[in-house]
């Protein structure tokens, strides 16, 4: 495996940004930029400029700076994906500034407070045990992503949104197909397009059903419908927010479970330590979050005023890409950052972002990851890879990294 230490002197690519990341590591240029040019102007695929920020302290500074905006509809806002940018009507609170962003956070934040999520822990534990029950006696290899990594977070976000239990099989099946688009094959994209339409119609019907009720419910969808009824938000905001939570609550955690399992299997010494000392699991989860930083190119900003950072002035109206993956691999903050070490205790990593837009679902993600890995290590301690590691397909071009399949055996 190529490490960042080995590529410190490689130059920055001449191609447009973004650059392909490695299997576990950031693109090689990030390490060079951190050392030699920590704030660098690049050109995106559509010809617009944007500024990469690569050092830990600078990334946190930008994410806390009131002179940057998350409004994707501002001219010059960086466009990473090749797909068309969502219209203003399709915007989610991820791409809003205060006071609109504050309103949406307030509407749904109560569903993500630690105290309330801890009440769900036994229910999540039962869900994970149920899925392990289905595989524990398997004599043949199976796909860990399909059996564990995808269905667990999909079911949990369905609970929070208020999807009826009878609809969970449909919901899980379609969300899994939707996320498969990141594989980039024609077949996967075609199926994901179909799944997008199916889920959109389904969530729209759920909203319509809630709108007919005097009391729309006390789950997330119910609170959003109530806010729409009171005129705080538009109906389209209900659908857009449900979509955001679906993708953010499923895609990121599913990829962390799959890629995290592979990381542990690829580091048997660390895996053995965890099995011997389960109390290390919370720290191991934080290290996996830092080391993998699966949400790689989602955090985008634009300068609303001239901003000096790292000795460079970013002009107003130009995009900023605070590279949290580069920040999480900064030796200046995390010594020997390219090394995976479950005893590191990196509590201040920026895998969930930083500042007012820090991931609202991070407490839920931590609980899910802790339960999944504790249960796996306890109930199937002999799990092993059932394929050549070189054959594992990484989503190395996607904004959220992960793996397509993970064949394992017991």
């Amino acid at each position: 495996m190529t490490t960042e230490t080995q590529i410190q002197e490689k130059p920055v690519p001449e191609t447009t940004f973004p650059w392909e990341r490695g299997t576990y590591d950031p693109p090689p240029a990030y390490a060079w930029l951190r050392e030699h040019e920590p704030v660098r102007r690049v050109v995106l695929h559509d010809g617009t400029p944007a500024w990469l920020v690569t050092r830990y302290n600078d990334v946190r500074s930008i994410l806390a700076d009131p002179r940057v905006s998350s409004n994707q509809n501002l001219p010059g806002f960086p466009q990473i994906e090749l797909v068309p940018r969502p219209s203003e009507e399709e915007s989610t609170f991820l791409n809003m500034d205060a006071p609109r962003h504050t309103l949406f956070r307030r509407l749904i934040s109560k569903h993500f407070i630690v105290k309330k999520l801890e009440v769900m822990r036994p229910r999540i534990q039962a869900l994970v045990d149920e899925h392990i029950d289905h595989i524990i006696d398997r004599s043949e290899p199976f796909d860990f992503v399909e059996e564990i990594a995808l269905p667990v977070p999909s079911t949990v976000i369905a609970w929070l949104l208020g999807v009826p239990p009878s609809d969970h099989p449909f919901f899980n099946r379609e969300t899994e197909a939707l996320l498969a688009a990141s594989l980039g094959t024609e077949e996967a994209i075609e199926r994901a397009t179909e799944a997008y339409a199916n889920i959109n119609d389904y969530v729209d019907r759920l909203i319509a059903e809630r709108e007919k009720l005097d009391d729309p419910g006390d789950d997330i969808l119910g609170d959003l419908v109530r806010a729409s009824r009171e005129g705080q938000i538009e109906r389209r905001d209900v659908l857009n927010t449900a979509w955001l939570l679906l993708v953010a609550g499923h895609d990121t955690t599913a990829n962390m479970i799959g890629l995290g399992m592979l990381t542990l299997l690829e580091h048997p010494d660390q895996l053995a330590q965890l099995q011997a000392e389960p109390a290390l699991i919370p720290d191991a989860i934080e290290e996996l979050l830092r080391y993998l930083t699966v949400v790689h190119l989602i955090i985008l900003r634009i300068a609303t005023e001239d901003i000096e950072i790292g000795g460079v002035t970013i002009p107003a109206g130009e995009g900023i890409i605070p590279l949290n993956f580069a920040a999480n691999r900064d030796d200046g903050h995390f010594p020997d950052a390219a090394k995976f070490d479950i005893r590191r205790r990196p509590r201040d990593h920026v895998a969930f972002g930083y500042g007012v837009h820090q991931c609202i679902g991070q407490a839920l993600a931590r609980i899910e990851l802790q339960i999944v890995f504790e249960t796996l290590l306890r109930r199937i301690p002999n799990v092993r890879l059932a394929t050549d590691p070189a054959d594992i397909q990484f989503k190395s071009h996607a904004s959220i990294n992960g793996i397509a399949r993970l064949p394992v055996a017991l």
Side-chain angles (χ1 to χ4, degrees):
M1 184 189 306
T2 301
T3 67
E4 288 185 89
T5 310
Q6 294 171 313
I7 48 77
Q8 285 285 340
E9 299 306 317
K10 288 189 177 182
V12 177
E14 296 296 327
T15 56
T16 58
F17 187 84
W19 309 310
E20 181 180 1
R21 64 183 281 168
T23 54
Y24 296 100
D25 296 326
Y30 288 10
W32 188 92
L33 288 173
R34 243 188 349 257
E35 179 71 20
H36 303 284
E37 200 174 352
V39 182
R40 164 77 173 241
R41 195 173 192 257
V42 294
V43 176
L44 305 181
H45 65 86
D46 61 358
T48 60
W51 295 82
L52 305 183
V53 181
T54 52
R55 288 181 179 169
Y56 178 88
N57 288 336
D58 292 342
V59 165
R60 284 184 36 133
S61 178
I62 281 292
L63 292 176
D65 197 314
R67 297 170 296 174
V68 302
S69 171
S70 298
N71 185 351
Q72 65 181 1
N73 296 298
L74 292 177
F77 193 89
Q79 172 77 351
I80 295 295
E81 302 286 357
L82 295 174
V83 297
R85 176 177 295 166
S87 66
E88 187 168 359
E89 289 73 24
E90 297 170 317
S91 293
T92 69
F93 69 90
L94 183 70
N95 299 114
M96 295 177 184
D97 299 323
R100 290 284 288 167
H101 171 260
T102 309
L103 168 63
F104 280 92
R105 296 277 294 207
R106 179 179 59 79
L107 286 173
I108 65 174
S109 61
K110 73 176 187 180
H111 298 280
F112 294 98
I113 58 176
V114 174
K115 184 176 181 180
K116 182 167 185 176
L117 293 172
E118 283 294 338
V119 174
M120 293 179 62
R121 188 179 283 269
R123 193 179 182 192
I124 299 174
Q125 180 67 65
L127 173 68
V128 174
D129 280 325
E130 178 185 342
H131 281 280
I132 292 181
D133 288 343
H134 290 311
I135 63 174
I136 199 165
D137 294 323
R138 297 273 181 94
S139 58
E140 298 295 326
F142 59 90
D143 180 11
F144 178 84
V145 172
E146 179 182 5
E147 298 286 353
I148 303 291
L150 285 172
V152 169
S154 177
T155 300
V156 173
I157 198 63
W159 293 342
L160 288 172
L161 284 174
V163 174
S166 59
D167 293 339
H168 285 180
F170 161 82
F171 189 78
N172 289 354
R173 182 179 67 250
E174 296 303 306
T175 52
E176 289 170 18
L178 180 69
L179 302 186
S182 58
L183 301 179
T185 66
E186 183 176 344
E187 180 182 2
I189 292 173
E190 183 178 343
R191 176 67 180 94
T193 302
E194 177 188 22
Y196 177 91
N198 292 342
I199 297 174
N200 192 72
D201 290 343
Y202 174 75
V203 175
D204 190 64
R205 289 197 304 272
L206 276 185
I207 294 170
E209 290 172 4
R210 298 295 187 90
E211 288 173 329
K212 297 175 183 177
L213 303 175
D214 292 336
D215 180 0
D218 59 359
D219 49 36
I220 291 177
L221 206 56
D223 283 347
L224 291 171
V225 168
R226 189 176 294 106
S228 173
R229 181 180 292 169
E230 294 170 354
Q232 298 183 66
I233 61 177
E234 301 292 332
R235 188 185 191 279
R236 66 172 182 267
D237 294 323
V238 181
L239 184 59
N240 294 343
T241 305
W243 262 108
L244 173 63
L245 296 175
L246 167 64
V247 175
H250 183 201
D251 195 0
T252 53
T253 307
N255 283 311
M256 270 300 305
I257 292 172
L259 196 52
M261 188 74 251
L262 176 60
T263 303
L264 291 174
L265 292 173
E266 289 273 81
H267 294 81
D269 58 328
Q270 307 274 307
L271 180 58
Q273 290 180 53
L274 277 183
Q275 290 171 329
E277 300 180 64
L280 291 173
I281 287 176
D283 288 338
I285 297 303
E286 298 305 317
E287 176 66 350
L288 283 168
L289 288 164
R290 179 203 70 85
Y291 181 73
L292 298 173
T293 313
V294 298
V295 181
H296 175 203
L297 293 172
I298 298 296
I299 303 173
L300 307 172
R301 300 289 188 268
I302 188 170
T304 58
E305 301 178 25
D306 290 356
I307 299 173
E308 184 175 339
I309 187 82
V312 175
T313 298
I314 298 176
E318 295 202 355
I320 306 173
I321 305 176
L323 291 169
N324 59 329
F325 200 4
N328 279 339
R329 293 295 189 92
D330 187 346
D331 287 326
H333 190 79
F334 301 107
D336 201 8
K339 179 183 178 181
F340 175 64
D341 180 5
I342 62 171
R343 297 180 183 272
R344 185 187 297 273
R345 299 177 65 86
R347 296 288 176 170
D348 56 350
H349 62 74
V350 288
F352 291 115
Y354 184 72
V356 296
H357 279 275
Q358 193 169 22
C359 176
I360 198 170
Q362 60 182 290
L364 176 62
R366 285 185 168 102
I367 289 173
E368 290 184 73
L369 293 169
Q370 289 170 13
I371 292 173
V372 165
F373 285 106
E374 185 280 328
T375 310
L376 288 169
L377 297 182
R378 173 169 47 83
R379 295 197 60 190
I380 51 173
N382 297 322
V383 63
R384 66 187 188 279
L385 275 178
T387 187
D388 186 332
D391 293 334
I392 293 174
Q393 183 180 358
F394 287 77
K395 302 174 184 178
S396 54
H397 287 88
S399 295
I400 300 176
N401 193 28
I403 50 178
R405 297 180 66 252
L406 182 60
V408 298
L410 304 181

